Amino acid sequence: MEAAGVPDAKHDAETIYCWLMHVQPDKFFMEWANVADDRTCEQYLTLVDRRSAREPLQYIIGTQEFMGYTMKTSPQVLIPRFDTEPVVEKAVGLLEGQKAPAVLDLCCGSGAIGIAVAKMTEAKVTAADLSEDAVALTKENAASNSAALTVVQGDLFEAVGKKKFDMVISNPPYIESDIIPTLMPEVRDYEPLEALDGGADGLDFYRSIIADAPDHIRDDGLLVLEIGDDQAEAVTQLIADTERFDPAEVGRDLAGHDRIVTAVMLGKKTLKARAKKRAAEEKQRAKEEAAAAKQRAKEEAAKAKQDAIDAKAKAKQDAVDAKAKAKQDAVDAKAKAKQDAVDAKAKAKQDAVDAKNKAAEEKTAC
């Protein structure tokens, strides 16, 4: 098994032996040296070969422990995970002190969540799943654990009609479709795809559950969801978008990863009070916006008036400047004309003198 890459191969080899030989794990070291017959050896090696092919140990031995209860497993149903136990612990804590609360385990799979809640609280639990195999296995596990469970089949809330609950708890499929081929062989090759695939972004089931949950949760009831460790922000936003829940809280698993989202359903009085407050806030905001618009209009009118005054003053000044310039241009032109006449007279006089001098010179030459 080690050569096949089986994680913790030694543990699995011992577990298979104990299961086959009906030996308690804590008695293994007292029994392992006993000689087994050929038939038992053959059976053991066959089981080891199955595990070496990466078939999940839980499918080989047919059981999985969950919250201290033994759950039968089936290749048609997802194996209960230890990561889910903190989800149950959170739910049990939230139900503490409530008398016979109605709880719905949605997408129940093997029934592990619903059975544990029923055994650990006074809740009246209904377990629902679309899969016939899951419904059958949940009934079997409920019977073997002496848990009083109502088990129904259907697509999400359709399985319970219009019934309402004090808590809806669910561990739906939430793995992104593109991620599934990269998972461990035990998961990818053996566990049912429909119990894993949450759509392109892993949120398909959360969208449906969260959208319909307000119609199936009583006032001040609870929604408890298991999530992937990178989905807290997206799932809490989906809850916030309904405007029917208090802000969701995020809890972590034993490894410190985000794993649990819980939200309290708002009661009618709270919703009415919030709607009234929101209406008052919107009215106040509209009033403030109207006042701001009026102030802007007033400022714009004042600016337009000032611009007109400035434009009129500028036009008047431009006219004065133009008149002064025209007057100065006339004075300059008159002065220039007078100077031109003086210059012309002086030139004519000089020309006459020059002509007289030239004539005198010519006469003398002769």
Side-chain angles (χ1 to χ4, degrees), residues 140-196:
E140 190 173 345
N141 279 327
S144 65
N145 284 282
S146 302
L149 237 64
T150 299
V151 187
V152 294
Q153 182 181 355
D155 189 4
L156 298 179
F157 288 109
E158 291 179 5
V160 295
K162 296 182 179 181
K163 188 175 180 181
K164 291 194 174 186
F165 300 86
D166 297 294
M167 175 184 285
V168 171
I169 184 170
S170 182
N171 175 21
Y174 58 71
I175 299 175
E176 297 173 24
S177 302
D178 291 345
I179 298 297
I180 292 174
T182 70
L183 299 177
M184 293 176 61
E186 286 86 346
V187 179
R188 179 190 67 218
D189 299 335
Y190 289 94
E191 295 201 72
L193 179 64
E194 61 272 17
L196 301 169

Side-chain angles (χ1 to χ4, degrees), residues 90-151:
K90 180 67 174 180
V92 169
L94 292 170
L95 292 170
E96 187 176 359
Q98 295 190 38
K99 187 175 181 180
V103 175
L104 173 61
D105 175 11
L106 202 58
C107 304
C108 65
S110 65
I113 290 177
I115 291 167
V117 170
K119 297 290 289 184
M120 299 172 72
T121 70
E122 297 181 5
K124 294 180 179 179
V125 179
T126 299
D129 204 292
L130 178 62
S131 165
E132 291 183 9
D133 293 314
V135 167
L137 186 60
T138 295
K139 289 180 178 179
E140 190 173 345
N141 279 327
S144 65
N145 284 282
S146 302
L149 237 64
T150 299
V151 187

Side-chain angles (χ1 to χ4, degrees), residues 217-246:
I217 299 178
R218 294 170 181 158
D219 290 354
D220 301 316
L222 294 151
L223 177 62
V224 181
L225 299 170
E226 177 171 339
I227 60 168
D229 59 15
D230 60 348
Q231 295 174 323
E233 182 177 353
V235 173
T236 54
Q237 186 60 53
L238 288 172
I239 291 173
D241 289 343
T242 68
E243 298 184 348
R244 298 293 302 277
F245 294 89
D246 265 334

Side-chain angles (χ1 to χ4, degrees), residues 47-347:
L47 297 176
V48 168
D49 285 344
R50 288 172 61 185
R51 185 67 188 101
S52 297
R54 306 302 290 272
E55 182 178 351
L57 178 66
Q58 294 87 346
Y59 288 157
I60 294 172
I61 65 176
T63 61
Q64 169 68 9
E65 292 297 311
F66 183 82
M67 298 295 295
Y69 303 102
T70 300
M71 302 292 166
K72 183 177 179 180
T73 59
S74 164
Q76 287 74 44
V77 179
L78 194 72
I79 298 167
R81 292 329 199 246
F82 292 123
D83 286 343
T84 303
E85 292 191 349
V87 181
V88 173
E89 290 171 353
K90 180 67 174 180
V92 169
L94 292 170
L95 292 170
E96 187 176 359
Q98 295 190 38
K99 187 175 181 180
V103 175
L104 173 61
D105 175 11
L106 202 58
C107 304
C108 65
S110 65
I113 290 177
I115 291 167
V117 170
K119 297 290 289 184
M120 299 172 72
T121 70
E122 297 181 5
K124 294 180 179 179
V125 179
T126 299
D129 204 292
L130 178 62
S131 165
E132 291 183 9
D133 293 314
V135 167
L137 186 60
T138 295
K139 289 180 178 179
E140 190 173 345
N141 279 327
S144 65
N145 284 282
S146 302
L149 237 64
T150 299
V151 187
V152 294
Q153 182 181 355
D155 189 4
L156 298 179
F157 288 109
E158 291 179 5
V160 295
K162 296 182 179 181
K163 188 175 180 181
K164 291 194 174 186
F165 300 86
D166 297 294
M167 175 184 285
V168 171
I169 184 170
S170 182
N171 175 21
Y174 58 71
I175 299 175
E176 297 173 24
S177 302
D178 291 345
I179 298 297
I180 292 174
T182 70
L183 299 177
M184 293 176 61
E186 286 86 346
V187 179
R188 179 190 67 218
D189 299 335
Y190 289 94
E191 295 201 72
L193 179 64
E194 61 272 17
L196 301 169
D197 194 343
D201 61 0
L203 301 175
D204 284 359
F205 282 84
Y206 295 114
R207 291 190 182 91
S208 296
I209 291 171
I210 292 168
D212 294 338
D215 294 328
H216 297 277
I217 299 178
R218 294 170 181 158
D219 290 354
D220 301 316
L222 294 151
L223 177 62
V224 181
L225 299 170
E226 177 171 339
I227 60 168
D229 59 15
D230 60 348
Q231 295 174 323
E233 182 177 353
V235 173
T236 54
Q237 186 60 53
L238 288 172
I239 291 173
D241 289 343
T242 68
E243 298 184 348
R244 298 293 302 277
F245 294 89
D246 265 334
E249 296 182 358
V250 179
R252 295 181 175 180
D253 58 23
L254 298 176
H257 300 135
D258 289 342
R259 189 63 61 192
I260 315 158
V261 168
T262 57
V264 177
M265 177 80 176
L266 295 174
K268 292 178 181 178
K269 289 183 179 180
T270 304
L271 284 171
K272 187 175 180 180
R274 290 194 179 186
K276 186 177 180 180
K277 182 181 178 182
R278 187 160 51 246
E281 290 173 347
E282 289 174 355
K283 184 177 180 180
Q284 180 62 28
R285 184 165 54 252
K287 185 178 179 180
E288 291 172 356
E289 289 175 354
K294 186 177 180 180
Q295 182 62 30
R296 283 196 301 272
K298 186 177 179 181
E299 291 172 355
E300 288 171 0
K303 184 178 184 299
K305 184 177 180 180
Q306 186 61 48
D307 289 346
I309 292 172
D310 293 343
K312 186 175 180 180
K314 184 177 184 300
K316 186 176 180 180
Q317 185 61 45
D318 288 345
V320 170
D321 292 343
K323 186 176 180 180
K325 184 176 184 300
K327 186 176 180 180
Q328 184 63 44
D329 287 346
V331 170
D332 293 343
K334 186 176 180 180
K336 184 176 185 299
K338 186 176 180 181
Q339 183 63 43
D340 288 345
V342 170
D343 292 342
K345 186 176 180 181
K347 185 177 184 300

